[in-house]
Amino acid sequence: MLVLLAGIFVVHIATAIMLFVSTISNVWMVSADVKSSVGLWKNCTGGNCNDSLTYGHEDALKAVQAFMILSIIFSVISLAVFVFQLFTMEKGNRFFLSGSTMLVCWFCILVGVSIYTHHYAHSDRNFTFGDHQGYCFILTWICFCFTFIIGILYMVLRKK
C-alpha cells in the first residue's frame, strides 16, 4: 500500500509539473516549417516570442487561460490535501477530499482544452496549411488522463 501511495504521489507531482509547463509554454500549435508556434499567451516566430496573439482579446482564449490556471491551482491544492490527509486521517478512511479536488482539476482541464480545440486548433487564425499540435497541447491531454486516473484512485483508496 505504501508503494502504491508513493507511486500516486509521484505521478501527481509529475502531472502538476506537466500542467504548469503546458500552460506557460507557447507551443500549442506549430507551423508546418516548425519555425513558428502559438501558445496561450504569445506568438513565437523564429525563436522570438515577443508577438502578441492576434486573437488574444477573445473571450474563448481568456476562458482557456483561466481554466488552465485553475487546473494548476486545483492540482496543487489536491496534492496538499492528500499530504494533509495522509498524516491526519484515521485508518480505514478514504481520500475523498483530495480525490474530489483532483476531479475538479480534471474538469478544468477538460473545459479548457476542449474550448481551445474547438476554437483554435487547425483554424486559419494560427497558420495557413500543414500546422499541427505542439507538445503543450499533447501534454495537456496526457495530464487530462492522469488527473482522471489519480482522482479515481484517490476516491477508491483507503488509508491502512
Side-chain angles (χ1 to χ4, degrees):
M1 182 58 119
L2 184 62
V3 173
L4 181 64
L5 286 175
I8 292 172
F9 183 74
V10 168
V11 172
H12 193 148
I13 290 175
T15 303
I17 291 170
M18 288 188 300
L19 271 174
F20 186 74
V21 167
S22 68
T23 302
I24 63 171
S25 294
N26 291 310
V27 192
W28 281 61
M29 294 297 293
V30 180
S31 66
D33 59 359
V34 194
K35 292 185 180 177
S36 301
S37 65
V38 174
L40 297 180
W41 312 99
K42 297 280 185 185
N43 183 8
C44 300
T45 306
N48 185 9
C49 293
N50 293 332
D51 299 334
S52 61
L53 296 170
T54 57
Y55 49 86
H57 63 283
E58 293 182 8
D59 291 336
L61 184 66
K62 291 180 191 256
V64 173
Q65 292 169 343
F67 276 109
M68 291 308 296
I69 290 171
L70 280 173
S71 70
I72 293 170
I73 291 169
F74 280 117
S75 179
V76 171
I77 288 172
S78 177
L79 188 63
V81 167
F82 173 69
V83 170
F84 179 76
Q85 283 183 323
L86 194 59
F87 293 112
T88 60
M89 192 169 57
E90 295 179 13
K91 290 186 177 187
N93 289 343
R94 296 183 189 264
F95 296 96
F96 282 125
L97 189 58
S98 56
S100 59
T101 310
M102 197 62 174
L103 290 177
V104 170
C105 171
W106 169 77
F107 183 72
C108 288
I109 295 171
L110 172 68
V111 172
V113 80
S114 296
I115 292 171
Y116 188 86
T117 303
H118 176 71
H119 285 279
Y120 304 110
H122 293 301
S123 72
D124 293 336
R125 300 178 200 188
N126 291 330
F127 305 109
T128 55
F129 178 74
D131 58 339
H132 59 278
Q133 283 83 17
Y135 74 89
C136 293
F137 185 79
I138 297 165
L139 200 60
T140 306
W141 279 111
I142 292 170
C143 290
F144 169 76
C145 297
F146 281 171
T147 54
F148 182 73
I149 292 168
I150 293 169
I152 295 299
L153 284 175
Y154 280 156
M155 294 289 225
V156 172
L157 286 178
R158 290 180 184 269
K159 183 178 178 185
K160 290 190 177 189

